[in-house]
Amino acid sequence: MQKKYVAIFGVFLASAVGLWWLSTPSLNAVAWQPTEPPAFEGAMAPNTALQKAELLAQGQLHGPEDIAFDAQGRLHAGLHDGRIIRLEADKVVTLANTGGRPLGMMFDKAGNLIICDAWKGLLQLAPDGQFTTLVSEVNGVPLTFTDDLDIANDGKIYFTDASTKYHQPDYVLDLLEGQPYGRLYVYDPVKKHTTLLLDQLYFANGVALSKQQDAVFVAETYRYRIRKIWISGERAGQNEIIADNLPGLPDNINSDRNGTIWLAMPSPRKPIADLSARHPWMRELMVRLPRALWPKPDRYGLAVAMDENGTLLKSLHDPTGDHLRMITSVTPYQGTLYFGSLENDRIGRL
């Protein structure tokens, strides 16, 4: 009788496991071979520079992912709940709400705040508070995860769709799948036309124009690298990887317009991510586990300066992650750096 119950339990357990496996999402995961990450030494040597940053609006914000300054030098940010806010002394003023998740943002010469909203597309917030949707689809293909942007002197807006498959809450699924779903676009506000510049990007994240504005840099977060795409001159249309095998995951990137690109790195690389990259079955199994069991980013603050040839110049750290962590943007403004975060309740100023 005992053997009968054991057999019944075994059949029940096998059936439950089978149903669990079939009823959970499936990935189209592919294998790739990440290189052993470089040591934190030289320009990447750990320090405590970020712990010296002043904290703005601490406890009054949730997820100020990117920072933008208007012509009057006023700081703006987009929050987790969709709000666009401005800091006025110690006061947080709500200007508008996109109804989505504002990510990368920048003011154009006319004083409009151009916003990459992960759900809504490329938006424009006019000084009078009116929203305009500039781009929500390209050639009939909806934008799925509008992420970051930069605006050229001629007014053209270069922006990314990080993933054409996964929305912002599921960005980890893009990492686990390991497919090149990202795209880089340029929007011409005069012609009101959007052009695809490059596809097949591995989570197309941060965007920054070169000093001469003859090229645009794009962060491929889940390949730990920065790609350079020429947009004018003899090499127009060509692209190459200029920084590879970075020690962290590059997020938003910003140019100081003098030849330095600032990379925000929400987390150093994790050995489990590099290991599972080689074994798709590990990721197929992981996605079926409760999200509470998925690997989490390290509690660490990290920002890196790079020249336009891809050489890492210096890095700023908070090894504890208590002061600043999960940094998703580094905005240089008048000799000062401002640090945004997808999760923090503060903005750093150094």
Side-chain angles (χ1 to χ4, degrees), residues 40-47 49 262 302-305 313-317:
F40 272 33
E41 59 187 19
M44 289 299 303
N47 55 62
W262 280 97
L302 182 58
V304 179
L313 304 174
K314 63 179 177 181
S315 56
L316 309 174
H317 300 243

Side-chain angles (χ1 to χ4, degrees), residues 267-282:
S267 172
R269 283 165 57 177
K270 297 183 72 69
I272 184 62
D274 284 358
L275 175 63
S276 65
R278 301 178 177 91
H279 305 289
W281 66 266
M282 292 180 65

Side-chain angles (χ1 to χ4, degrees), residues 68-76 86-87 107 110-111 127 333-334:
F69 289 89
D70 63 14
Q72 290 76 45
R74 297 175 296 186
L75 185 154
H76 296 69
R86 181 169 66 219
L87 291 191
F107 280 91
Y333 181 73
Q334 296 185 350

